[in-house]
PDB file of all heavy atoms in Angstrom:
ATOM      1  N   PHE H  62    -104.030 153.921  50.596  1.00  0.00           N
ATOM      2  CA  PHE H  62    -102.804 154.692  50.775  1.00  0.00           C
ATOM      3  C   PHE H  62    -101.965 154.521  49.515  1.00  0.00           C
ATOM      4  O   PHE H  62    -101.654 153.393  49.116  1.00  0.00           O
ATOM      5  CB  PHE H  62    -102.043 154.187  52.010  1.00  0.00           C
ATOM      6  CG  PHE H  62    -100.746 154.890  52.260  1.00  0.00           C
ATOM      7  CD1 PHE H  62    -100.687 156.058  53.011  1.00  0.00           C
ATOM      8  CD2 PHE H  62     -99.558 154.383  51.740  1.00  0.00           C
ATOM      9  CE1 PHE H  62     -99.489 156.695  53.256  1.00  0.00           C
ATOM     10  CE2 PHE H  62     -98.350 155.018  51.970  1.00  0.00           C
ATOM     11  CZ  PHE H  62     -98.313 156.174  52.727  1.00  0.00           C
ATOM     12  N   THR H  63    -101.618 155.626  48.879  1.00  0.00           N
ATOM     13  CA  THR H  63    -100.866 155.575  47.617  1.00  0.00           C
ATOM     14  C   THR H  63     -99.375 155.615  47.902  1.00  0.00           C
ATOM     15  O   THR H  63     -98.880 156.547  48.553  1.00  0.00           O
ATOM     16  CB  THR H  63    -101.256 156.745  46.717  1.00  0.00           C
ATOM     17  OG1 THR H  63    -102.671 156.704  46.471  1.00  0.00           O
ATOM     18  CG2 THR H  63    -100.512 156.676  45.397  1.00  0.00           C
ATOM     19  N   LEU H  64     -98.667 154.601  47.412  1.00  0.00           N
ATOM     20  CA  LEU H  64     -97.218 154.510  47.590  1.00  0.00           C
ATOM     21  C   LEU H  64     -96.582 154.390  46.213  1.00  0.00           C
ATOM     22  O   LEU H  64     -96.995 153.558  45.387  1.00  0.00           O
ATOM     23  CB  LEU H  64     -96.845 153.292  48.439  1.00  0.00           C
ATOM     24  CG  LEU H  64     -95.351 153.035  48.641  1.00  0.00           C
ATOM     25  CD1 LEU H  64     -94.699 154.175  49.417  1.00  0.00           C
ATOM     26  CD2 LEU H  64     -95.127 151.704  49.354  1.00  0.00           C
ATOM     27  N   LYS H  65     -95.564 155.222  45.945  1.00  0.00           N
ATOM     28  CA  LYS H  65     -94.862 155.191  44.674  1.00  0.00           C
ATOM     29  C   LYS H  65     -93.408 154.824  44.907  1.00  0.00           C
ATOM     30  O   LYS H  65     -92.835 155.158  45.949  1.00  0.00           O
ATOM     31  CB  LYS H  65     -94.951 156.545  43.967  1.00  0.00           C
ATOM     32  CG  LYS H  65     -96.380 156.953  43.579  1.00  0.00           C
ATOM     33  CD  LYS H  65     -96.385 158.293  42.865  1.00  0.00           C
ATOM     34  CE  LYS H  65     -97.807 158.682  42.450  1.00  0.00           C
ATOM     35  NZ  LYS H  65     -97.840 159.966  41.726  1.00  0.00           N
ATOM     36  N   ILE H 115     -95.155 152.850  56.741  1.00  0.00           N
ATOM     37  CA  ILE H 115     -93.960 152.800  55.900  1.00  0.00           C
ATOM     38  C   ILE H 115     -93.186 154.095  56.133  1.00  0.00           C
ATOM     39  O   ILE H 115     -93.765 155.182  56.167  1.00  0.00           O
ATOM     40  CB  ILE H 115     -94.335 152.627  54.420  1.00  0.00           C
ATOM     41  CG1 ILE H 115     -95.157 151.349  54.240  1.00  0.00           C
ATOM     42  CG2 ILE H 115     -93.094 152.601  53.541  1.00  0.00           C
ATOM     43  CD1 ILE H 115     -95.723 151.175  52.850  1.00  0.00           C
ATOM     44  N   ARG H 117     -89.362 156.584  55.692  1.00  0.00           N
ATOM     45  CA  ARG H 117     -88.583 157.156  54.592  1.00  0.00           C
ATOM     46  C   ARG H 117     -87.362 156.308  54.214  1.00  0.00           C
ATOM     47  O   ARG H 117     -86.872 156.424  53.093  1.00  0.00           O
ATOM     48  CB  ARG H 117     -88.144 158.572  54.960  1.00  0.00           C
ATOM     49  CG  ARG H 117     -89.322 159.522  55.149  1.00  0.00           C
ATOM     50  CD  ARG H 117     -88.863 160.948  55.308  1.00  0.00           C
ATOM     51  NE  ARG H 117     -90.021 161.827  55.514  1.00  0.00           N
ATOM     52  CZ  ARG H 117     -90.780 162.300  54.539  1.00  0.00           C
ATOM     53  NH1 ARG H 117     -90.500 161.988  53.284  1.00  0.00           N
ATOM     54  NH2 ARG H 117     -91.814 163.073  54.811  1.00  0.00           N
ATOM     55  N   GLY H 144     -88.718 158.872  60.033  1.00  0.00           N
ATOM     56  CA  GLY H 144     -89.908 159.636  59.663  1.00  0.00           C
ATOM     57  C   GLY H 144     -90.847 158.832  58.778  1.00  0.00           C
ATOM     58  O   GLY H 144     -90.422 157.981  57.989  1.00  0.00           O
ATOM     59  N   ARG H 145     -92.130 159.111  58.887  1.00  0.00           N
ATOM     60  CA  ARG H 145     -93.129 158.332  58.170  1.00  0.00           C
ATOM     61  C   ARG H 145     -93.419 158.939  56.807  1.00  0.00           C
ATOM     62  O   ARG H 145     -93.449 160.160  56.647  1.00  0.00           O
ATOM     63  CB  ARG H 145     -94.405 158.269  59.011  1.00  0.00           C
ATOM     64  CG  ARG H 145     -95.478 157.361  58.462  1.00  0.00           C
ATOM     65  CD  ARG H 145     -96.621 157.236  59.438  1.00  0.00           C
ATOM     66  NE  ARG H 145     -97.712 156.430  58.893  1.00  0.00           N
ATOM     67  CZ  ARG H 145     -98.849 156.161  59.538  1.00  0.00           C
ATOM     68  NH1 ARG H 145     -99.020 156.640  60.767  1.00  0.00           N
ATOM     69  NH2 ARG H 145     -99.780 155.427  58.976  1.00  0.00           N
ATOM     70  N   LEU H 146     -93.652 158.046  55.810  1.00  0.00           N
ATOM     71  CA  LEU H 146     -94.031 158.494  54.473  1.00  0.00           C
ATOM     72  C   LEU H 146     -95.520 158.833  54.440  1.00  0.00           C
ATOM     73  O   LEU H 146     -96.345 158.158  55.065  1.00  0.00           O
ATOM     74  CB  LEU H 146     -93.745 157.394  53.439  1.00  0.00           C
ATOM     75  CG  LEU H 146     -92.300 157.238  52.961  1.00  0.00           C
ATOM     76  CD1 LEU H 146     -92.206 156.027  52.045  1.00  0.00           C
ATOM     77  CD2 LEU H 146     -91.839 158.481  52.232  1.00  0.00           C
ATOM     78  N   HIS H 147     -95.847 159.884  53.688  1.00  0.00           N
ATOM     79  CA  HIS H 147     -97.235 160.264  53.501  1.00  0.00           C
ATOM     80  C   HIS H 147     -97.765 159.692  52.183  1.00  0.00           C
ATOM     81  O   HIS H 147     -96.998 159.299  51.290  1.00  0.00           O
ATOM     82  CB  HIS H 147     -97.375 161.783  53.509  1.00  0.00           C
ATOM     83  CG  HIS H 147     -96.921 162.405  54.800  1.00  0.00           C
ATOM     84  ND1 HIS H 147     -97.642 162.309  55.964  1.00  0.00           N
ATOM     85  CD2 HIS H 147     -95.792 163.122  55.096  1.00  0.00           C
ATOM     86  CE1 HIS H 147     -97.004 162.934  56.937  1.00  0.00           C
ATOM     87  NE2 HIS H 147     -95.868 163.444  56.437  1.00  0.00           N
ATOM     88  N   SER H 148     -99.069 159.645  52.076  1.00  0.00           N
ATOM     89  CA  SER H 148     -99.683 159.093  50.873  1.00  0.00           C
ATOM     90  C   SER H 148     -99.292 159.931  49.650  1.00  0.00           C
ATOM     91  O   SER H 148     -99.369 161.161  49.670  1.00  0.00           O
ATOM     92  CB  SER H 148    -101.209 159.080  51.034  1.00  0.00           C
ATOM     93  OG  SER H 148    -101.822 158.555  49.874  1.00  0.00           O
ATOM     94  N   GLY H 149     -98.848 159.221  48.586  1.00  0.00           N
ATOM     95  CA  GLY H 149     -98.455 159.883  47.346  1.00  0.00           C
ATOM     96  C   GLY H 149     -96.963 160.157  47.245  1.00  0.00           C
ATOM     97  O   GLY H 149     -96.490 160.552  46.167  1.00  0.00           O
ATOM     98  N   GLU H 150     -96.175 159.948  48.325  1.00  0.00           N
ATOM     99  CA  GLU H 150     -94.741 160.178  48.251  1.00  0.00           C
ATOM    100  C   GLU H 150     -94.053 159.006  47.555  1.00  0.00           C
ATOM    101  O   GLU H 150     -94.574 157.884  47.501  1.00  0.00           O
ATOM    102  CB  GLU H 150     -94.163 160.390  49.649  1.00  0.00           C
ATOM    103  CG  GLU H 150     -94.593 161.702  50.282  1.00  0.00           C
ATOM    104  CD  GLU H 150     -93.806 162.000  51.539  1.00  0.00           C
ATOM    105  OE1 GLU H 150     -94.208 161.512  52.627  1.00  0.00           O
ATOM    106  OE2 GLU H 150     -92.777 162.706  51.444  1.00  0.00           O
ATOM    107  N   THR H 151     -92.834 159.274  47.053  1.00  0.00           N
ATOM    108  CA  THR H 151     -92.121 158.312  46.210  1.00  0.00           C
ATOM    109  C   THR H 151     -90.847 157.852  46.908  1.00  0.00           C
ATOM    110  O   THR H 151     -90.093 158.669  47.453  1.00  0.00           O
ATOM    111  CB  THR H 151     -91.759 158.935  44.859  1.00  0.00           C
ATOM    112  OG1 THR H 151     -92.965 159.406  44.236  1.00  0.00           O
ATOM    113  CG2 THR H 151     -91.096 157.926  43.953  1.00  0.00           C
TER     114      THR H 151
END
Side-chain angles (χ1 to χ4, degrees):
F62 178 87
T63 302
L64 177 64
K65 296 181 179 181
I115 302 173
R117 297 188 181 278
R145 187 173 176 180
L146 280 175
H147 300 287
S148 180
E150 290 191 274
T151 303

